Amino acid sequence: MVTTSIWDASEYLEDEQDAIAYINAAAELDDPALLQAAIGDVAKARGMGQIAKEAGVGRESLYKSLDRDGNPSFRTIAKVVKALGGRIVIEPSAA
């Protein structure tokens, strides 16, 4: 019999470099829901309550917004990325 468990990325993001690489990898897949979930994983790893406070949003609201099925505003995403110590950068796509 094979035993499985739920994998939680937030448990493996040990430092800022891991977090940035994880979010960038998700962004490269062109799936907004996946990117949103990756940002949520990083926020969870850093402490959702603290990130919510720094972003000026409610903790429960942030959990819901950053869930793969959530629907956060761009403003919320921008605030969370800033609270995580990041910034949003637009680059030309590869040809």
Side-chain angles (χ1 to χ4, degrees):
M1 175 183 246
V2 175
T3 304
T4 61
S5 60
I6 296 175
W7 186 78
D8 186 350
S10 67
E11 296 176 11
Y12 300 94
L13 300 170
E14 296 179 4
D15 56 31
E16 188 172 297
Q17 190 174 1
D18 287 349
I20 290 169
Y22 180 63
I23 291 172
N24 283 335
E28 288 178 6
L29 297 175
D30 293 327
D31 180 348
L34 183 61
L35 176 58
Q36 175 179 316
I39 292 169
D41 289 339
V42 173
K44 184 177 174 187
R46 299 269 179 92
M48 193 68 81
Q50 182 63 34
I51 296 303
K53 183 178 177 182
E54 290 177 28
V57 297
R59 186 177 146 284
E60 289 298 318
S61 174
L62 192 57
Y63 267 111
K64 290 177 185 177
S65 292
L66 296 178
D67 183 76
R68 188 174 174 96
D69 297 323
N71 190 20
S73 69
F74 182 76
R75 180 174 298 207
T76 297
I77 292 294
K79 286 180 178 182
V80 171
V81 168
K82 183 176 182 182
L84 291 172
R87 65 187 178 103
I88 297 172
V89 176
I90 308 299
E91 297 179 346
S93 60

